[in-house]
Amino acid sequence: MRRGLLRAAGTALLLAAVLVSWNRAGEKAPFTRECMFYQKLPEGQVQCRICPRQCVIAEGRRGFCGVRQNSGGRLYLVTYGKPCSVGVEPIEKAPFFHFHPGHRRLVLATVGCNLRCRFCQNWSISQAVFEEAGHYELSPEAVVELALKEKAYSICFTFTEPVVYYEYMYDIARLARRRGLKTAVVSAGYINPEPLQELLKVVDAVKIDLKAFTEKFYEEMAAADLEPVLNTIKAVKKSGRWLEIVNLVIPGRNDAPRDLERMCRWIKDNAGPDVPVHFTRFFPSYRLTSVPPTPVETLERAYRTARAAGLRYVYVGNVPGHALENTVCPKCGKTLIERKGFQVVADRLKNGRCPFCGEAIRGLW
Amino acid sequence: MTFIAVLLVLGASGLVGQILLLRELLVVFSGNELSIGIVLGNWLVLEALGCFLAGRIWARSERPALAFAVCQAFFAAALPAALYAARMLRDLCGVAQGEGFGVAAMLVSSLLLLACVSAPHGALFALACRMRLSGRGGPGAGGFVYGWETLGTLAGGLILTFLLIPRFHSFRIVLALSSLNLLFCLVVLSGAARPGRSLGPACGLGALAVAALAFGPAADSVHWRSVRRQWTGHEVVLYENSVYGNVTVLQDAGQFTFLADGVPVVTAPVPDLEFVEELAHFALLAHPNPREVLVLSGGAGGLLRETLKHPAARVDYAELDPLLLAALARFPTPLTESELKDPRVVVHEVDGRLLVKTSQRRYDVILIGAPRPSNLAVNRLFTREFFALARSRLKAGGLLAFSLPGSTAFMEKNLARLNSCLLQTAAGVFGHVRPIPGDRNLFLASDSDAIVRLDAGVLARRLRERRIRTGFVGGEQLAFRLEDQWTRMLRDFLAPVRAEAGINRDFSPRAVLHDLANWNAMFSPPAARLSAWAEALTLPRLAAFLAALTLALLVFHFRVRSLSGAAVPAAIAATGFGGMVYNISLTFAFQALYGYVYLWIGLLVSVFMAGAAGASLWVGSVPPVTRVSTRRAFIALEVALVLFSAALPMTFHWLARSPLADRLLQGAFLVLCLMSGGLTGAQFPLACRLRDCGPAGLYSCDLLGGWLGGIVGGAVLLPVLGLEAACLCVALLKLCSLALTALAVPPEGAA
């Protein structure tokens, strides 16, 4: 209890220092970072190469994401050093279940997104215009210092799509690594191969939000394509960085048993049987106001499908107290990590192995 | 007599069609205040357009009865088709299943859908006037038609609300109505001097065929086919309307989802545990011994179960719509059954505010289960006056808890305003308010400072002592939620919007405004900017604008071109605007003061319409003396409307503070409705005489004014300026029309 109070007090003091730098909406600040992946085109245009959209951007305009701007024939990241959201949370909220469970992470996000998901939980920032939302002034150095002072174990880029503030994320990750901090990315995986490869050199873990396994869903519900996301999953796996996959199951949209089965088989074949897969429950959000929450039975069916496909670590999410939130040894079936909501209430792993049968449990522990 | 029956059917058909289509569209649009305004507004605009065009096209027609019959047959055919199309609207508009509509999509889709129904209905009014004129009419024809049509509207509303909706689904009602309209085509044709040869038998056969459909199994078949199309991908096990709204139940993989007007309100057997556990346990753990608890709305489906885990001896639960409770009983789950059959739970099928007002029982904890003040009816649980009422029903050390959408990532500006508004409102009533920020912000309000001193340790100890098992809320989660970082973050989000957030009052529902703006930001960012612009509206600014406009019009009239022909229609439009604002204001004030009693609301609207119809018929039946006297009477009515509008705010305040018995005060509301209806209805026949021309154009102006009153009054004036200022706006508007009429309409000669 005392430790909890001390931690809370520490958090308060440190975040207070950050929050005083909060800028109200509309206050302008100069761009500070040129984008890493883009090509100059004739007549002052540029082509962004960060994601598969490959936006061609005229002078003074911004790309689809709303945060990468052509200024004087060069592409700049408008939100560099200007996160709209900073906090300290449990890593389980990501959800990351095999990446140092129970630790506290510094979470960070800027406005903007390169997708248009109709069920986005963070639409107020992902779809916001930068100038209309408030932001903090926080350089990469300041972010790392804050994480260290806060005794966060990792820095997690989340809430909105980190791909759109790539340079900010990249610089923070490089600095964090030098200072001994882990970094994790929560992304939809809609990124081009080249920037992805560069990013994977500096981050430790990636969670990919695989929204569905049909092109139709991606087109209609997210204004994107499935193929680049699958390529990202393969590339992350190949890089050796820790990978977890989340699938938000939306009733009547992406819960067809056949599609789920195809998806699970694909994951096993391309990302391996040890990649943790989370099937999370949908609740009405953003524009999908009339879709009912996912039945728990549907999530359990998805779990069975995934296990039958050969995946060894499968979870059900957004159903607090459900037994399938726990980590179970795939060999002996004993419960190894017990969770309640976002909290780890028991961790029985011994050096990354099941204490009951000795089975090695894949993850970063 | 036959003609009067035709007019009664005309009025009733319009209202029944309007209400049924509105209900269907509300389900599709996940109904909020704005969608109601848009649908009703579109209906009125189209009706006005139909009336205006018909008035023009058939102004000199010698066979108006034939045209009337054709229009009526078209209306009869279009109504069921529109109903079916309403349920297919997402497919037709390319909107994904379960997705809400933006303002522009709502505006355009409902306009197109209603065009084939309300425009012909408007045309029928113009044609009825023409028929009356070509018969034994004269200048009084407009008033006569207006009066009886309004009476038909009144009758249709009462019959639909209290007889038809509780018993039949929309398709059966609509098909029966179509059959009736086709039958009256026959009646009209048979009375015509030169009836159409082929139309008569066709109408007769059509009436029989549609009647067979309406009263046979085919209506059920069409109804269920369209409902399944509307909810593709889900199994619909219930789709019924009550007087309060639509209740739909979807079944999927062992889960029942209960939707009210298309929005999920209860999910069982596994609810949103994070929401129900946090609201129930933070509130009940904050109290040392919660023995008596009151849950207002949203209790079934988890909140009651979590509440019952505490040492509560009695839990009163108020839910407005009996159909929702009946649906919960009809499709039971272990969760809902255990909640509603628990002997400690006392279910009240009543408006929560009314229960708090009428009950003398005192509580340890009052939980507001409604997730947000998304409309004026729900907002009544979040106002300063309600908080004061709830405070008086709390025992010493008792607390009130409610929750609002929040975020630990970032809070959208209007959402921040909503949170700030209700935080300030609660803080103005209670000694202490403790916000607990999160993805849903919790607010605990009490006169005891114990809630301020609460820490995670105390809550965790009580959780252990009460031996409560939870799925989400545990010791660490309690500590996490109470971390100071979230309080600071919330303060940071709310501080910049504090001044503009305002206080949420009964007569000034700021929270609804912020919620609508947040909804606009989600679905239609341009509309959000528009609403931001509307928020800059103040009474002095509006007064200055109206004064400048009147002055400019008068200068134009005297210096450039006479506006004598436009003054009367403008006055009628202003009266239509005022009539709608009176209607909304009276209903809203009644709801706020006496609780949501649907029968009373129906009675208020009925009395208003009866006043309008009675006054119109009475004034229309008085033989015209001279144009001078008609003008004088019209101007006198203008003066009366100005005075009535100016007096209304004071009357509301007097009613709110009066020590007289509720019954007497409720009677006073009926008198006010009768007066406002009478004043607005009496002007129409006078205007017809003063204009000395067909009433179609004037009726269009009346409807256009009503449309503006519905949209601007309901969605802008009332939430932005409040009830009193909205009435004063009408007074100002009528003052302008009075000035224009008095100065621009000549006492002698044709206008």
Side-chain angles (χ1 to χ4, degrees):
Chain A
M1 194 66 247
R2 185 182 292 168
R3 200 174 57 182
L5 285 173
L6 283 173
R7 182 185 284 171
T11 308
L13 282 171
L14 291 165
L15 283 172
V18 177
L19 296 179
V20 291
S21 67
W22 175 258
N23 279 3
R24 291 187 60 177
E27 290 179 18
K28 289 189 176 176
F31 313 141
T32 51
R33 180 71 152 92
E34 189 174 355
C35 293
M36 290 165 69
F37 299 92
Y38 75 96
Q39 187 184 354
K40 291 181 181 177
L41 299 176
E43 296 173 2
Q45 290 189 321
V46 297
Q47 182 169 35
C48 181
R49 291 288 176 84
I50 196 73
C51 85
R53 293 194 185 279
Q54 313 235 96
C55 298
V56 173
I57 307 165
E59 165 65 31
R61 307 299 295 268
R62 291 178 188 171
F64 183 86
C65 60
V67 297
R68 302 171 86 79
Q69 178 168 323
N70 179 349
S71 186
R74 292 177 172 216
L75 193 62
Y76 289 93
L77 174 60
V78 176
T79 56
Y80 190 88
K82 298 171 179 62
C84 59
S85 183
V86 182
V88 183
E89 294 183 341
I91 190 71
E92 276 68 24
K93 211 175 167 188
F96 268 116
F97 279 10
H98 287 226
F99 179 61
H100 307 287
H103 83 254
R104 283 166 70 88
R105 57 177 182 155
L106 184 86
V107 287
L108 181 129
T110 78
V111 299
C113 189
N114 57 348
L115 273 74
R116 293 289 180 268
C117 301
R118 300 184 191 203
F119 45 88
C120 182
Q121 288 177 320
N122 291 307
W123 64 271
S124 61
I125 36 179
S126 69
Q127 309 303 322
V129 175
F130 171 65
E131 284 76 8
E132 289 180 4
H135 64 266
Y136 304 106
E137 291 289 345
L138 213 57
S139 68
E141 292 80 6
V143 171
V144 173
E145 283 304 321
L146 184 67
L148 285 169
K149 285 178 187 167
E150 178 50 29
K151 295 190 168 46
Y153 189 77
S154 70
I155 297 173
C156 190
F157 308 100
T158 183
F159 298 142
T160 56
E161 177 50 63
V163 167
V164 305
Y165 59 88
Y166 183 94
E167 291 73 18
Y168 188 38
M169 166 173 63
Y170 183 83
D171 290 351
I172 293 170
R174 274 199 319 173
L175 277 172
R177 174 162 289 187
R178 274 189 230 147
R179 304 292 298 273
L181 283 167
K182 302 287 181 194
T183 47
V185 182
V186 177
S187 168
Y190 205 59
I191 182 171
N192 277 340
E194 193 188 347
L196 177 64
Q197 288 304 329
E198 279 302 304
L199 182 69
L200 290 172
K201 290 176 187 168
V202 294
V203 299
D204 299 287
V206 180
K207 192 210 83 177
I208 298 294
D209 186 4
L210 181 56
K211 296 176 190 297
F213 207 64
T214 60
E215 282 290 353
K216 186 169 179 276
F217 182 94
Y218 265 86
E219 276 171 28
E220 289 178 359
M221 304 298 283
D225 312 305
L226 170 64
E227 195 61 34
V229 182
L230 299 182
N231 291 338
T232 298
I233 291 174
K234 285 193 262 188
V236 175
K237 179 65 189 171
K238 197 174 168 191
S239 73
R241 299 295 172 217
W242 183 248
L243 169 70
E244 299 196 18
I245 293 172
V246 173
N247 175 233
L248 179 71
V249 184
I250 307 176
R253 307 295 177 278
N254 62 356
D255 61 345
R258 210 170 127 259
D259 292 335
L260 285 172
E261 194 183 330
R262 281 174 50 235
M263 182 172 81
C264 293
R265 269 198 262 114
W266 185 93
I267 292 173
K268 196 225 168 191
D269 294 343
N270 294 277
D274 292 327
V275 62
V277 175
H278 306 254
F279 293 106
T280 56
R281 191 180 192 198
F282 165 84
F283 287 102
S285 182
Y286 191 30
R287 288 171 175 244
L288 292 193
T289 50
S290 295
V291 177
T294 320
V296 175
E297 203 176 300
T298 303
L299 298 169
E300 290 167 347
R301 190 190 66 209
Y303 168 87
R304 290 193 294 275
T305 303
R307 293 287 286 136
L311 294 170
R312 286 153 61 87
Y313 305 108
V314 185
Y315 298 95
V316 159
N318 278 355
V319 191
H322 197 287
L324 295 178
E325 279 196 325
N326 299 331
T327 299
V328 174
C329 174
K331 188 176 173 190
C332 70
K334 294 269 172 48
T335 301
L336 302 176
I337 302 175
E338 273 182 56
R339 298 181 179 85
K340 183 174 184 174
F342 305 132
Q343 315 297 329
V344 172
V345 292
D347 185 351
R348 303 188 183 95
L349 278 176
K350 294 275 186 239
N351 301 319
R353 288 185 175 275
C354 170
F356 305 103
C357 68
E359 173 79 356
I361 307 299
R362 289 297 306 278
L364 298 179
W365 310 110
Chain B
M1 262 325 273
T2 310
F3 188 60
I4 289 174
V6 168
L7 294 178
L8 288 172
V9 169
L10 173 64
S13 302
L15 191 96
V16 171
Q18 185 191 67
I19 298 290
L20 290 180
L21 285 171
L22 172 67
R23 280 170 168 262
E24 294 297 331
L25 288 172
L26 270 182
V27 176
V28 180
F29 295 157
S30 317
N32 63 12
E33 222 67 49
L34 204 59
S35 62
I36 297 173
I38 286 173
V39 173
L40 286 180
N42 278 342
W43 178 282
L44 291 177
V45 161
L46 289 162
E47 186 138 349
L49 186 72
C51 183
F52 178 76
L53 290 176
R56 280 285 173 95
I57 294 167
W58 287 295
R60 303 272 178 266
S61 172
E62 289 177 5
R63 301 173 72 191
L66 185 62
F68 186 96
V70 170
C71 271
Q72 197 168 21
F74 185 82
F75 172 80
L79 194 54
L83 189 70
Y84 199 94
R87 291 181 180 171
M88 302 300 99
L89 205 59
R90 280 201 177 92
D91 283 349
L92 294 172
C93 297
V95 174
Q97 284 292 326
E99 185 178 359
F101 281 64
V103 174
M106 273 200 281
L107 200 71
V108 175
S109 62
S110 62
L111 196 76
L112 293 174
L113 183 94
L114 297 176
C116 58
V117 183
S118 47
H121 187 263
L124 286 171
F125 180 88
L127 287 165
C129 292
R130 179 80 200 124
M131 281 163 71
R132 177 77 179 166
L133 276 170
S134 63
R136 56 191 182 84
F144 181 85
V145 173
Y146 184 84
W148 285 109
E149 200 252 9
T150 307
L151 268 184
T153 306
L154 166 64
L158 292 174
I159 292 168
L160 178 74
T161 306
F162 301 113
L163 289 179
L164 302 180
I165 284 176
R167 290 176 179 79
F168 307 108
H169 58 71
S170 302
F171 260 104
R172 205 176 280 287
I173 299 170
V174 155
L175 287 169
L177 193 69
S178 291
S179 169
L180 186 70
N181 271 273
L182 287 171
L183 200 67
F184 268 81
C185 284
L186 260 183
V187 172
V188 169
L189 285 170
S190 63
R194 283 187 293 156
R197 281 179 193 167
S198 55
L199 197 60
C203 286
L205 281 173
L208 280 175
V210 179
L213 278 175
F215 299 107
D220 289 332
S221 167
V222 177
H223 168 68
W224 280 108
R225 191 178 305 161
S226 59
V227 166
R228 282 187 206 106
R229 283 282 304 274
Q230 186 176 4
W231 295 100
T232 303
H234 306 284
E235 187 189 346
V236 185
V237 292
L238 182 90
Y239 188 94
E240 282 182 15
N241 288 325
S242 75
V243 290
Y244 301 103
N246 174 275
V247 173
T248 303
V249 182
L250 307 178
Q251 184 180 17
D252 187 13
Q255 174 180 283
F256 288 106
T257 306
F258 301 78
L259 303 102
D261 285 335
V263 178
V265 288
V266 175
T267 302
V270 186
D272 181 350
L273 283 169
E274 209 172 316
F275 169 62
V276 295
E277 282 197 8
E278 288 202 328
L279 177 57
H281 296 312
F282 271 101
L284 294 160
L285 289 172
H287 195 282
N289 187 23
R291 300 289 296 164
E292 292 198 77
V293 180
L294 172 62
V295 178
L296 299 173
S297 186
L303 196 55
L304 285 177
R305 181 185 65 184
E306 299 307 317
T307 301
L308 292 167
K309 289 177 181 175
H310 293 263
R314 177 183 170 115
V315 179
D316 283 313
Y317 166 41
E319 194 65 74
L320 177 64
D321 195 343
L323 180 57
L324 178 64
L325 292 165
L328 286 163
R330 195 166 147 195
F331 302 101
T333 64
L335 169 69
T336 47
E337 230 176 2
S338 70
E339 288 177 326
L340 297 173
K341 288 189 176 166
D342 191 292
R344 291 170 292 170
V345 174
V346 182
V347 180
H348 304 265
E349 290 181 2
V350 67
D351 169 49
R353 179 151 173 170
L354 188 63
L355 180 70
V356 176
K357 186 179 162 70
T358 52
S359 163
Q360 293 307 309
R361 190 173 285 278
R362 288 175 182 272
Y363 298 94
D364 295 305
V365 176
I366 297 177
L367 293 175
I368 300 175
R372 59 199 300 168
S374 52
N375 56 49
L376 293 173
V378 180
N379 185 58
R380 293 159 45 259
L381 297 178
F382 293 89
T383 61
R384 186 172 70 183
E385 290 81 355
F386 175 72
F387 287 160
L389 186 63
R391 178 171 170 256
S392 70
R393 297 288 181 269
L394 286 172
K395 294 180 191 171
L399 62 97
L400 174 128
F402 62 93
S403 74
L404 291 172
S407 176
T408 52
F410 181 80
M411 209 184 285
E412 193 270 332
K413 186 174 59 183
N414 295 296
L415 193 59
R417 283 179 183 163
L418 174 66
N419 277 271
S420 177
C421 171
L422 292 186
L423 177 59
Q424 291 180 67
T425 304
V429 173
F430 291 91
H432 306 277
V433 181
R434 172 80 180 265
I436 301 174
D439 288 325
R440 274 200 78 82
N441 292 327
L442 305 175
F443 296 88
L444 307 181
S446 172
D447 283 340
S448 160
D449 64 353
I451 56 164
V452 181
R453 288 184 280 105
L454 269 183
D455 63 34
V458 174
L459 299 182
R461 179 170 52 76
R462 286 177 181 164
L463 192 70
R464 281 194 306 275
E465 285 170 357
R466 293 176 195 175
R467 295 178 181 173
I468 291 170
R469 289 172 64 88
T470 58
F472 185 71
V473 170
E476 285 204 45
Q477 178 63 17
L478 290 167
F480 177 65
R481 283 298 301 267
L482 293 179
E483 277 179 11
D484 214 30
Q485 62 165 325
W486 308 127
T487 310
R488 287 174 187 277
M489 187 177 274
L490 182 70
R491 193 192 63 191
D492 224 59
F493 289 143
L494 303 196
V497 299
R498 184 182 159 78
E500 64 225 41
I503 299 291
N504 191 38
R505 294 188 291 121
D506 272 351
F507 291 168
S508 179
R510 297 287 295 181
V512 177
L513 179 76
H514 300 319
D515 195 74
L516 275 179
N518 176 244
W519 185 86
N520 277 333
M522 230 184 295
F523 285 96
S524 182
R529 282 175 206 122
L530 203 66
S531 73
W533 176 82
E535 279 184 52
L537 199 67
T538 60
L539 197 59
R541 280 182 190 172
L542 201 73
F545 169 74
L546 287 173
L549 183 71
T550 312
L551 203 63
L553 288 172
L554 287 174
V555 169
F556 186 84
H557 169 72
F558 288 115
R559 292 285 171 89
V560 185
R561 193 178 152 191
S562 171
L563 289 175
S564 56
V568 171
I572 286 295
T575 303
F577 181 94
M580 187 62 92
V581 174
Y582 296 151
N583 221 324
I584 296 172
S585 303
L586 284 162
T587 310
F588 178 57
F590 188 90
Q591 277 189 356
L593 296 178
Y594 307 112
Y596 199 94
V597 191
Y598 200 85
L599 282 168
W600 267 94
I601 304 301
L603 195 61
L604 291 174
V605 176
S606 304
V607 167
F608 178 92
M609 302 200 78
S616 179
L617 285 172
W618 178 64
V619 173
S621 67
V622 175
V625 187
T626 59
R627 181 180 162 81
V628 175
S629 64
T630 304
R631 180 179 173 274
R632 199 177 296 146
F634 189 86
I635 288 174
L637 273 174
E638 286 281 284
V639 174
L641 280 163
V642 172
L643 294 176
F644 181 77
S645 309
L648 212 46
M650 286 179 278
T651 316
F652 286 143
H653 271 280
W654 177 77
L655 287 168
R657 289 170 191 163
S658 172
L660 290 176
D662 277 0
R663 284 287 168 208
L664 275 176
L665 297 173
Q666 286 165 359
F669 262 90
L670 290 179
V671 173
L672 285 173
C673 282
L674 196 70
M675 282 174 71
S676 56
L679 285 171
T680 49
Q683 259 202 329
F684 194 80
L686 291 177
C688 290
R689 285 177 193 167
L690 215 50
R691 279 271 292 167
D692 211 12
C693 67
L698 285 172
Y699 187 57
S700 304
C701 291
D702 184 36
L703 293 174
L704 281 172
W707 168 70
L708 268 177
I711 294 217
V712 177
V716 181
L717 292 183
L718 208 63
V720 176
L721 299 177
L723 195 69
E724 298 99 327
C727 293
L728 290 176
C729 283
V730 177
L732 288 170
L733 190 69
K734 285 311 298 172
L735 201 60
C736 296
S737 76
L738 168 66
L740 211 61
T741 317
L743 296 171
V745 177
E748 301 290 341

